Amino acid sequence: MDHDAMDLAEARYELVISVDARRSGEYDDVDKQRMRERIYRVLEAAFTHAKVARDAVHMEDRGDGVLLSVAGRIAVTRLLGLWMVEVHENLRDENRGLSVPLGLRVGMHVGPVRHDGRGISGRAVDLACRLADSPLARRLLDAERADLVLVTSQSLYEDVVSSGGKFIEPAHYSSARLELKEGEVTAWFHLPGRPAPEIPTAAPAAPDADRADDVDGVDDARDARDVSNTRGADDVDGVDDAPDVDDARRVDGEDRADAPRAHYTVHGDMSQHSDNVYQQPVHIGRITGDAGRRKG
């Protein structure tokens, strides 16, 4: 029997780790090369200190990150615990003195993985990558000004993290629901060296923002009522031909407290003029007639 062919056809139950760099598109060609070198130094040194054999780790370059799978013979607790601590500490060392610190998003999930000559595949791989690339992971990394954010799947949290262990603190994880291409899932977020992160909530939608006839976020029907109530039928130029509201409220130069106040909702230009003298024709909604002196 061709054992190599059998291995390619069968899926192996492994830990999948997706590592992405923060805002990698902002690096120029020279800095991107240095960024990639830092990522590999951080990860490989962590494997060495966590005593994870190199032949137990599959690594694929992703340009702005690395995709890894770790053989089932390596305890997942070692990767979630000691390895993550080493990744975090190595990353902090790399970032000392950098004007733009390297930030990493790490997604983890355990599941069936298929290997072939080009790399690894499977739903477990897809999920790990989706977790690392989730908008919430990006927002947390920026909002908390952190070097590293770890995102685990629900099953990995329940099966491993929740039981704790060396360098594993379940209370330092926070859960959130994510909308992924494959559907909605629960994920757990952790910022190494910090308490459980506060999950940011989306800002509430503006009232009536989804109405088809309300493209400006304001009730157009209400606007129409307001305009019809405050403009007369003969007021087609946007200027109120009625006496000045302030004049109506004043008697012998004093305000009348009992006089009603008017409210205007205006769409377009509006100007109010009182006791002005114009020397030339002006345009305020209409031409003022001849060039003689005229009070407005």
Side-chain angles (χ1 to χ4, degrees):
M1 179 182 292
D2 188 340
H3 292 283
D4 290 337
M6 181 182 68
D7 287 344
L8 290 176
E10 293 180 347
R12 309 170 189 176
Y13 208 75
E14 298 180 340
L15 173 67
V16 182
I17 307 173
S18 175
V19 181
D20 284 339
R22 170 172 48 199
R23 289 196 290 274
S24 60
E26 297 181 7
Y27 290 89
D28 61 25
D29 288 348
V30 174
D31 287 337
K32 182 166 288 189
Q33 180 63 34
R34 293 170 180 163
M35 175 265 288
R36 285 162 47 79
E37 292 171 355
R38 292 187 185 102
I39 293 176
Y40 278 96
R41 281 199 299 269
V42 165
L43 299 181
E44 290 172 349
F47 280 122
T48 298
H49 286 103
K51 294 182 171 54
V52 177
R54 295 299 177 90
D55 64 356
V57 181
H58 168 85
M59 301 181 71
E60 288 183 30
D61 184 79
R62 291 298 178 99
D64 59 351
V66 184
L67 177 63
L68 310 101
S69 65
V70 182
R73 70 177 188 269
I74 305 298
V76 176
T77 51
R78 192 185 307 177
L79 279 303
L80 278 166
L82 180 58
W83 184 77
M84 281 304 306
V85 169
E86 291 294 338
V87 168
H88 183 224
E89 290 302 319
N90 294 340
L91 183 58
R92 292 178 62 192
D93 286 340
E94 289 285 344
N95 281 337
R96 286 193 175 94
L98 292 180
S99 57
V100 181
L102 172 63
L104 296 179
R105 304 184 309 274
V106 179
M108 283 192 184
H109 177 57
V110 172
V113 177
R114 295 183 184 276
H115 292 252
D116 59 29
R118 297 179 179 84
I120 58 176
S121 63
R123 296 180 63 182
V125 176
D126 295 341
L127 179 54
C129 292
R130 298 272 192 265
L131 295 177
D133 195 45
S134 64
L136 183 50
R138 296 172 181 270
R139 287 163 54 196
L140 269 179
L141 198 61
D142 288 338
E144 298 292 335
R145 297 182 179 180
D147 299 299
L148 176 67
V149 59
L150 168 65
V151 192
T152 72
S153 63
Q154 171 77 355
S155 59
L156 181 56
Y157 180 87
E158 290 178 347
D159 295 342
V160 182
V161 176
S162 63
S163 299
K166 190 173 183 178
F167 303 117
I168 301 176
E169 296 286 347
H172 291 182
Y173 286 70
S174 296
S175 65
R177 296 291 288 174
L178 302 180
E179 278 290 348
L180 306 181
K181 291 182 178 180
E182 295 81 4
E184 192 176 68
V185 301
T186 296
W188 289 82
F189 294 81
H190 173 55
L191 300 172
R194 304 191 187 191
E198 182 176 347
I199 302 299
T201 56
D208 297 329
D210 58 348
R211 290 178 47 149
D213 61 342
D214 189 10
V215 297
D216 58 356
V218 180
D219 186 348
D220 294 333
R222 184 195 64 206
D223 295 344
R225 291 193 300 270
D226 289 343
V227 172
S228 65
N229 289 338
T230 57
R231 290 178 56 185
D234 59 345
D235 186 11
V236 296
D237 57 7
V239 179
D240 187 1
D241 294 331
D244 191 285
V245 174
D246 288 339
D247 291 342
R249 293 177 50 81
R250 296 177 68 85
V251 176
D252 296 330
E254 296 184 359
D255 285 339
R256 289 176 51 198
D258 59 341
R261 292 183 179 272
H263 172 74
Y264 292 88
T265 300
V266 179
H267 291 263
D269 298 330
M270 178 180 179
S271 59
Q272 180 175 320
H273 302 262
S274 177
D275 297 327
N276 296 317
V277 177
Y278 303 106
Q279 304 295 335
Q280 297 292 333
V282 295
H283 180 74
I284 308 174
R286 62 172 67 83
I287 301 297
T288 61
D290 57 30
R293 297 167 62 87
R294 180 171 179 173
K295 295 191 70 174

